[in-house]
Amino acid sequence: MSRPPTFTPPPCARARVLRTERGDFAVLDAAPRAGAHSTALLLPGYTGSKEDFIALLEPLAEAGFRVLTVDGRGQYETEGPDDQDAYAQAELARDVLAQAAAAGPPPEGGIHLLGHSLGGQIARAAVLLDAAPFRSLTLMSSGPAEIDPTQQKKARLLGDALGRWSMAEVWQMMRALDPPEDADTGDGEDLRRRWMRHNPAQLIATGAQLSAEPDRVAELAALPLPVHVVSGERDDVWPVPLIDDMARRLGARRTVIEGAEHSPNTARPLETAAALVSFWNSVGA
């Protein structure tokens, strides 16, 4: 579970509702003072939310980018149905296309799309449906196919628990398994509030997706879309050598954020933002 440093947006950002043809989505909308030259759409990972990118907002806005970070359907402050079929990957990908359309015409060309972890696989599915709205794709801590077998086991256990117990009961079980260093971080109530507002059907469905995702790297490599692959030095969800190989197969720019693991966006936000700005500026209009 990503741990954002705060759930309070910086002065450059406001929390609002993005109204689309596929429903309403809770977003943080950050803009530079002097007007944006590009727009970026950021998708969070499994059990995460738009706040996972909160530490990136100021440095990205200062670099001239308008940034929208989104709670997908059934995530935190975006409502979602109780039907697991509503969270099929193709449905979530169509949501992304609707979000891109509703974001408004970017100042120059298409939108820079970024997905973290599960969000990366949803972003990939979106551009494979229609790459036209996008200028680039960044896959952050997101691998080529299914997650590591150890993580698959955890996702199955979580899915089974959510099918038997309430969100509050499952939260208590997860906290009991936390390592001691996570016990007194001071963010417990914010994380609990976010967890309680996730729809369990979304968590069950997307957890199953992560455990069964096929390798679609060749399909993505066939698109004329610049791709950036970002990860930390270590990752227990997809091994870093697997992410390295995916980047080679894609012919993508590859960035490894020193000192970070699965969430460089929260562990090393300034370094991560600098890498994103460098890539997005290199892509051009």
Side-chain angles (χ1 to χ4, degrees):
M1 180 180 295
S2 292
R3 292 176 176 266
T6 178
F7 277 68
T8 302
C12 66
R14 63 188 177 104
R16 71 177 185 91
V17 173
L18 182 68
R19 304 196 184 282
T20 82
E21 63 178 14
R22 289 178 62 84
D24 295 345
F25 296 86
V27 302
L28 296 178
D29 190 340
R33 295 188 190 91
H37 58 66
S38 296
T39 298
L41 178 64
L42 279 54
L43 313 179
Y46 186 57
T47 76
S49 69
K50 60 190 179 303
E51 286 75 16
D52 289 346
F53 303 111
I54 213 162
L56 299 179
L57 296 180
E58 280 194 318
L60 293 179
E62 287 172 1
F65 294 92
R66 179 196 176 202
V67 184
L68 285 170
T69 72
V70 185
D71 287 339
R73 66 166 71 185
Q75 283 185 318
Y76 191 29
E77 294 180 322
T78 296
E79 296 295 326
D82 296 332
D83 179 7
Q84 291 182 41
D85 290 342
Y87 303 99
Q89 189 184 78
E91 295 300 314
L92 301 179
R94 292 186 183 97
D95 286 349
V96 174
L97 296 176
Q99 292 157 10
E108 300 176 8
I111 289 173
H112 297 293
L113 180 62
L114 179 150
H116 172 242
S117 194
L118 170 70
Q121 298 198 330
I122 295 170
R124 179 174 73 177
V127 302
L128 289 174
L129 279 177
D130 184 5
F134 304 108
R135 191 190 306 184
S136 73
L137 172 66
T138 296
L139 303 174
M140 181 183 291
S141 304
S142 189
E146 73 278 0
I147 55 179
D148 182 81
T150 300
Q151 297 298 324
Q152 291 181 39
K153 182 178 179 180
K154 290 181 179 179
R156 281 196 304 272
L157 289 171
L158 180 56
D160 290 345
L162 290 169
R164 297 178 61 187
W165 293 293
S166 70
M167 291 290 284
E169 289 169 322
V170 174
W171 175 259
Q172 291 300 323
M173 295 174 194
M174 293 193 302
R175 295 289 67 79
L177 297 174
D178 274 350
E181 60 269 21
D182 289 345
D184 297 311
T185 57
D187 58 2
E189 186 51 39
D190 286 331
L191 294 174
R192 182 183 185 278
R193 183 172 60 252
R194 176 173 69 176
W195 170 262
M196 293 297 297
R197 294 190 65 176
H198 275 69
N199 190 301
Q202 186 266 348
L203 293 169
I204 294 170
T206 55
Q209 286 173 30
L210 285 167
S211 297
E213 176 74 4
D215 189 320
R216 305 186 70 186
V217 174
E219 293 175 69
L220 181 58
L223 296 179
L225 186 70
V227 180
H228 187 196
V229 174
V230 180
S231 76
E233 291 181 294
R234 296 169 298 282
D235 198 304
D236 62 356
V237 182
W238 288 275
V240 169
L242 198 64
I243 297 174
D244 292 337
D245 181 66
M246 178 183 71
R248 285 192 292 270
R249 293 166 62 197
L250 289 170
R253 178 183 286 205
R254 178 74 173 104
T255 300
V256 177
I257 305 297
E258 293 185 7
E261 298 187 15
H262 186 62
S263 296
N265 43 306
T266 59
R268 294 290 185 272
L270 295 180
E271 296 86 346
T272 302
L276 297 177
V277 168
S278 175
F279 172 66
W280 292 340
N281 284 337
S282 76
V283 170

